[in-house]
Amino acid sequence: MLKNKLLIMLVMVFLLSTFSMNVLAVEELELVAAHNQTSKESPYQVGMLAFKDAVEELSDGAMTVQVHAGTLGTSEAELVQKLKLEAVDVVIASPGFMSKTGIQEIQLFAFPYLFENYDHWETVVDGEVGNKMAEIVNEKSNNDFKMLGYWGAGVRHYYGKKPLNNISDIEGVKIRTQTSGVVADYWSSIGAVPTSVAWGELYQALQQGVVDAAENAYPFFVQESHHQTRNGKYTTETGHDYTTRFMLTNGEMFDSLSEEQQNIIMEAAKMSVEAEREEVIRQEEEYKQILIDEGGVVNQIDREPFIEAAIPIQNEYAEEYGVEDLLETVRNLK
């Protein structure tokens, strides 16, 4: 009996000493994480703070994270460039801005009406397609970019100076969206006029009539008070995009870290993904109600004509980007 107690004590001492050595083995490291949303209530900020907390807790304070909410730039292109140059360590980027780095395959996730619902989206990004896209991003960027996880940015809807009651109502509407690629071609194909406006300038553009409309998810445009502008009052739930965002780090920087540091970053990234996605879904209902309470108007529309218009655009760009197989996989997962 005494021998057993002694053995247990020895094992406990060994485990505690091993744990202590592991903690001590984590070298000090300061990471800079940035996103382009200026609102401190943004789901991006919630996700980044979850990443920060997890990194610092898992490393017992040896690793720290500075989080910048729009303070290093509201342009995703600028943040992605800074990541490439290792001026920041973690950023959030969209398919449109990532494609400007030469990784055209990433635009698959920007295809309008690609996803049927949140379950479909999660099955895609957390499965075979998401893994394959992460490999493509890393290889095509020559390890400038490493995927840490897939964030959501809500379900995007049209909002503008007038509601859409049918697809023909979009004819001639100047809508703030991407002005090239699959997104722009889709809106052009149904009669809209894609117009470029920086996110930080969109409130003023809607207020002054520079654009007639925009498209985004409730948490993002309501937090920026776009619904209170002259041309932002009417929201039509087109649901054209279950939005994908990429949590990226610099691959070269990541590879230079110790195994312990790498493991901590990857585990913290998983925790941030969960926190950010949960916050997006929670905020969608919250900010939709805020919009209504503050005088915004919401209407539903028959989405089928919009979905049908998207199919040939999807097919065309899947062939151009060489992702026909991935598109077919996504469709089969519905």
Side-chain angles (χ1 to χ4, degrees), residues 31-283:
L31 298 171
V32 177
H35 60 81
N36 73 330
Q37 297 295 308
T38 56
S39 171
K40 296 297 177 66
E41 297 178 3
S42 164
Y44 286 14
Q45 183 71 354
V46 172
M48 278 301 197
L49 291 178
F51 177 71
K52 169 185 171 67
D53 291 345
V55 165
E56 295 176 357
E57 182 176 345
L58 291 170
S59 68
D60 198 28
M63 297 167 64
T64 59
V65 181
Q66 290 184 19
V67 175
H68 292 267
T71 54
L72 295 183
T74 58
S75 163
E76 288 186 37
E78 181 182 358
L79 292 179
V80 168
Q81 184 63 19
K82 285 180 177 179
L83 179 65
K84 185 175 181 178
L85 297 174
E86 297 188 42
V88 297
D89 303 302
V90 179
V91 303
I92 306 303
S94 66
F97 288 100
M98 281 301 297
S99 68
K100 293 179 181 178
T101 68
I103 309 171
Q104 294 300 320
E105 293 90 342
I106 205 77
Q107 283 276 54
L108 171 68
F109 289 142
F111 285 8
Y113 293 104
L114 181 66
F115 301 110
E116 193 169 70
N117 50 42
Y118 269 120
D119 287 343
H120 181 213
W121 176 78
E122 286 199 330
T123 300
V124 170
V125 299
D126 292 339
E128 174 189 348
V129 176
N131 291 337
K132 179 61 179 176
M133 196 62 72
E135 292 175 5
I136 291 172
V137 166
N138 190 248
E139 292 171 5
K140 287 291 186 75
S141 71
N142 295 316
N143 203 30
D144 283 337
F145 307 124
K146 175 182 175 61
M147 193 81 72
L148 294 178
Y150 293 95
W151 284 15
V155 185
R156 295 173 83 95
H157 304 296
Y158 160 97
Y159 60 98
K161 68 178 182 181
K162 66 177 184 179
L164 303 180
N165 295 305
N166 55 65
I167 195 170
S168 65
D169 287 341
I170 197 70
E171 184 71 34
V173 172
K174 290 185 295 181
I175 185 169
R176 184 267 184 181
T177 188
Q178 293 177 36
T179 54
S180 63
V182 62
V183 174
D185 277 4
Y186 173 73
W187 287 104
S188 295
S189 75
I190 59 175
V193 181
T195 305
S196 179
V197 177
W199 176 251
E201 299 171 4
L202 184 52
Y203 178 95
Q204 187 175 13
L206 288 162
Q207 183 66 21
Q208 296 182 349
V210 175
V211 292
D212 302 317
E215 47 87 34
N216 215 311
Y218 285 114
F220 295 90
F221 76 85
V222 175
Q223 286 175 9
E224 298 295 332
S225 299
H226 291 176
H227 62 296
Q228 295 182 317
T229 64
R230 189 179 100 194
N231 284 359
K233 179 177 181 178
Y234 296 96
T235 299
T236 299
E237 293 194 330
T238 48
H240 53 273
D241 186 10
Y242 282 79
T243 317
T244 308
R245 293 292 179 262
F246 312 117
M247 186 181 191
L248 301 166
T249 190
N250 183 290
E252 294 288 343
M253 182 280 295
F254 184 86
D255 290 345
S256 72
L257 302 179
S258 68
E259 182 179 353
E260 290 84 359
Q261 290 171 326
Q262 291 178 355
N263 290 340
I264 287 169
I265 289 172
M266 294 306 296
E267 184 60 30
K270 289 179 184 177
M271 297 170 74
S272 78
V273 164
E274 293 177 6
E276 196 274 342
R277 290 182 189 179
E278 288 177 4
E279 185 66 11
V280 166
I281 293 172
R282 186 192 70 78
Q283 286 195 16

